[in-house]
């Protein structure tokens, strides 16, 4: 389960937050954050934008010579988010009606999303579209003008025109990686909408079944005991077919000593962590945003005391990076021990990000989301119960995803109270569900949208991994991320090397931590699960 790690600066009010967005340049030199291992491409990109703003307040950037008239310098046209934040700071906030309250959030992306959907925000977007179209008609056919116009059309939901104008920007500036990233996102959004429209055409909205207002959960996730599941069965029956499975009796075998909250407090109590909170209007991954910084010990004390005011989530906290002494207690199950990320060079993206720790009070949820970069995911539960709801990857368009500022979608549907009248495509999905119990380990295949509810106060660890079941999809996602993130490019280059060790063995065994991190795979050329055999299996499945 991957969260895009975003730094936030100390800000006193919403206006200050918007100010930080408002000065992000469209182009510029980006530095590499070597100290943050778990960044995704867009998360890293946004943080570098914020840092570049701080530098430019002291040394303002020069205007660019963008005019077709020789020697004339003009200000570069900002994309929609930047333009909206400038407008909000100077004018827009005075136009919001008393009935329209800003979300209870300090997250810039969430605030900008709300502003762009408000009445005054929509009017401003429409006026900017008219202004930019006039500029193009008057001969100012610069790439930044096309890119800005594209971003405003995206805000209005006109994806065809957004793509057309972004193609115009790329035609005039073919090496601009940010434009390429933007058009890749637009095309993904367009494909989702096309899939939705195709299903809607086939649906008979007036039929009796279509008027059924209840989302049914006809499938339960299969439960298999560890003694009855070989590695080969796991890989071919579940990983390769994108089928979730609960492996029972496994979590208790994964740690040297039993993991309880008290044990975590003893080993990691003095470590600091930024806990999360659920923001219903958030456009961040799983609708979770940073809440406050606290020690692990303080947080656990609040959970154990049943403090009703503590509605925060210790969520996806990297153990290798933040508390290696806890990570060293872990034995990696054979099902996940062949992780390709561990076959990359030291310091590579994601190599040291997992396993990560999860602690939550009863009642908190991580809303519907998809794990990033097409990674597979596992979770081992030591305490409490979690209710999981899954959807097949092909059902993603039926869940009304939105791609706001990254390739990690947020979903409009509320699975706690699904509205099948407003979101009729939900009638076409067949979700799975399960209750994860202490001692269980859950496998979540790449690309499966899912929602998690903590039924009790809970303690768990998780990890994302790559093997031959999702290797091709991971490389496709990294290809997009690498447009903005040099570390994603470095990881992709390693995966694409002709000699990369991507064979797998069905004889793999559980690995103690030091063996997992230092596995040599000296005889990998003799491993019997190869890209060729997997390709044959995929052909048979399809």
């Amino acid at each position: 389960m991957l969260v895009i790690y975003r730094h936030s600066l100390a800000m006193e009010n919403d206006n200050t937050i918007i100010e930080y967005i408002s000065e992000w340049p469209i182009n510029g030199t980006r530095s590499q954050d070597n100290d943050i291992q778990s960044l995704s491409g867009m998360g890293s990109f946004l943080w570098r934008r914020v840092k570049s703003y701080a530098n430019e307040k002291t040394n303002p950037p020069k205007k660019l010579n963008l005019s077709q008239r020789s020697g004339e310098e003009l200000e570069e046209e900002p994309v929609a988010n930047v333009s909206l934040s400038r407008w909000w700071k100077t004018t827009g906030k005075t136009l919001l009606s008393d009935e329209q309250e800003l979300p209870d959030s300090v997250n810039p992306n969430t605030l900008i999303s709300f502003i762009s959907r408000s009445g005054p925000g929509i009017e401003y977007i429409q006026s900017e579209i008219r202004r930019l179209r006039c500029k193009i008609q008057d001969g100012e056919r610069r790439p930044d003008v096309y890119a800005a116009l594209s971003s405003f059309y995206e805000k209005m939901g006109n994806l065809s025109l957004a793509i057309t104008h972004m193609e115009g920007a790329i035609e005039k500036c073919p090496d601009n990686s940010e434009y390429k990233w933007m058009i890749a996102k637009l095309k993904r959004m367009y494909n989702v909408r096309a899939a939705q429209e195709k299903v809607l055409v086939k649906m008979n909205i007036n039929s009796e079944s279509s008027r059924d207002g209840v989302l049914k959960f006809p499938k339960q996730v299969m439960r298999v005991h560890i003694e009855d599941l070989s590695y080969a069965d796991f890989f071919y029956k579940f990983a390769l077919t994108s089928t979730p499975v609960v492996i029972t009796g496994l979590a208790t075998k994964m740690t040297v000593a039993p993991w309880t909250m008290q044990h975590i407090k003893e080993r990691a109590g003095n470590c600091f962590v930024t806990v999360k909170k659920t923001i219903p209007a958030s456009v961040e991954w799983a609708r979770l945003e940073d809440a406050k910084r606290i020690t692990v010990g303080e947080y656990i004390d609040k959970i154990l005391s049943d403090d009703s005011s503590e509605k925060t989530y210790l969520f996806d906290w990297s153990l290798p990076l933040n508390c290696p002494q806890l990570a060293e207690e872990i034995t990696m199950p054979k099902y996940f021990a062949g992780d390709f990320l561990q076959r990359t060079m030291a310091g590579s993206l994601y190599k040291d990000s997992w396993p990560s720790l999860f602690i939550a009070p009863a009642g908190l949820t991580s809303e519907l989301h998809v794990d990033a970069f097409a990674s597979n995911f596992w979770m081992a539960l030591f305490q409490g119960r979690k209710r999981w709801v899954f959807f097949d990857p092909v059902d993603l368009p039926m869940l009304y995803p939105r791609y706001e500022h990254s390739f990690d979608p947020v979903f409009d549907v509320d699975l706690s109270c699904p509205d099948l009248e407003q979101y009729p495509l939900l009638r076409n999905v067949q979700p799975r569900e399960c209750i994860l119990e202490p001692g269980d380990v859950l496998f979540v295949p790449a690309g499966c949208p899912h929602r998690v509810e903590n039924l009790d106060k809970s303690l768990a660890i998780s990890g994302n991994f790559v093997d031959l079941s999702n290797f091709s999809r991971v490389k496709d996602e990294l290809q997009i991320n690498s447009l903005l993130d040099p570390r994603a490019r470095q990881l992709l280059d390693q995966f694409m090397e002709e000699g990369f060790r991507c064979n797998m063995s069905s004889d793999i065994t559980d690995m103690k931590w030091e063996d997992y991190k230092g596995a040599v795979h000296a005889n990998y050329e003799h491993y019997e699960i190869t890209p060729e055999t997997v390709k044959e299996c995929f052909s048979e499945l399809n």
Side-chain angles (χ1 to χ4, degrees), residues 152-302:
F152 280 108
Y153 274 126
E154 178 188 344
K155 290 293 185 186
M156 293 301 295
N158 194 327
L159 298 180
S160 296
L161 284 177
I163 290 172
T164 296
H165 287 89
M166 190 56 69
E167 287 174 340
I170 293 173
E171 181 180 354
K172 294 182 177 298
C173 194
D175 296 327
N176 189 304
S177 59
E178 292 171 22
Y179 294 168
K180 292 178 182 178
W181 185 91
M182 291 175 186
I183 199 167
K185 182 167 74 79
L186 287 169
K187 288 182 176 179
R188 179 164 297 188
M189 295 165 65
Y190 184 88
N191 289 337
V192 165
R193 183 174 294 178
Q196 292 172 335
E197 292 174 351
K198 184 177 180 179
V199 174
L200 283 171
V201 167
K202 295 180 180 180
M203 286 181 64
N204 181 2
I205 301 297
N206 295 320
S207 68
E208 288 295 328
S209 61
S210 294
R211 291 199 297 271
D212 185 355
V214 179
L215 182 62
K216 298 179 180 178
F217 297 84
K219 299 180 182 178
Q220 292 292 317
V221 176
M222 184 180 296
R223 300 175 63 87
V224 182
H225 192 270
I226 180 177
E227 300 296 337
D228 300 322
L229 186 64
S230 67
Y231 177 79
D233 283 345
F234 166 78
F235 181 76
Y236 288 109
K237 291 183 180 179
F238 298 104
L240 212 56
T241 61
S242 295
T243 305
V245 62
V246 176
I247 308 172
T248 62
L250 177 54
T252 55
K253 300 178 181 294
M254 289 181 60
T255 57
V256 174
W259 273 26
T260 62
M261 291 196 192
Q262 187 60 38
H263 180 73
I264 301 300
K265 181 180 175 181
E266 291 172 358
R267 301 304 301 272
N270 294 327
C271 298
F272 279 87
V273 58
T274 299
V275 292
K276 306 283 185 178
K277 61 181 178 180
T278 301
I279 302 293
S282 177
V283 297
E284 295 302 322
W285 191 88
R287 300 199 185 277
L288 293 170
E289 297 183 3
D290 290 351
K292 61 182 178 180
R293 192 160 175 80
I294 190 174
T295 67
V296 173
E298 290 172 329
Y299 179 79
I300 289 176
D301 285 342
K302 289 179 179 292

Side-chain angles (χ1 to χ4, degrees), residues 85-101:
S85 55
R86 291 177 180 172
W87 165 78
W88 173 259
K89 184 173 60 175
T90 59
T91 305
K93 60 188 177 184
T94 66
L95 303 177
L96 204 64
S97 66
D98 294 336
E99 293 78 20
Q100 293 178 292
E101 294 184 2

Side-chain angles (χ1 to χ4, degrees), residues 25-27 64 66 74-78 86 142 144 179:
I26 305 305
N27 294 305
L64 303 178
L66 295 171
L74 298 175
E75 183 180 356
E76 187 175 12
E77 284 290 347
R86 291 177 180 172
R142 308 190 315 254
D144 60 303
Y179 294 168

Side-chain angles (χ1 to χ4, degrees), residues 9-79:
L9 303 179
M11 304 168 187
E12 295 181 355
N13 54 53
D14 294 336
N15 297 337
T16 308
I17 294 167
I18 300 301
E19 182 177 355
Y20 277 96
I21 302 182
S22 72
E23 299 300 329
W24 288 346
I26 305 305
N27 294 305
T29 302
R30 300 187 299 272
S31 61
Q32 181 171 326
D33 292 291
N34 294 317
D35 58 330
I36 301 170
Q37 298 275 344
S38 59
L39 289 173
S40 77
M42 196 54 185
S44 173
F45 165 63
L46 290 176
W47 172 232
R48 287 192 294 264
R49 280 291 185 257
V50 172
K51 290 198 300 185
S52 71
Y53 163 72
N55 294 331
E56 289 161 6
K57 291 300 284 185
T58 304
N59 302 296
K62 296 180 180 180
K63 290 186 177 181
L64 303 178
N65 187 357
L66 295 171
S67 175
Q68 294 177 342
R69 294 183 292 274
S70 176
E72 184 178 351
E73 292 182 340
L74 298 175
E75 183 180 356
E76 187 175 12
E77 284 290 347
V79 292

Side-chain angles (χ1 to χ4, degrees), residues 253-256 327-333 510-513:
K253 300 178 181 294
M254 289 181 60
T255 57
V256 174
E328 291 166 2
E329 296 183 7
I330 296 170
T331 294
M332 189 60 59
D510 299 345
M511 292 186 183
K512 294 186 179 300
W513 182 254

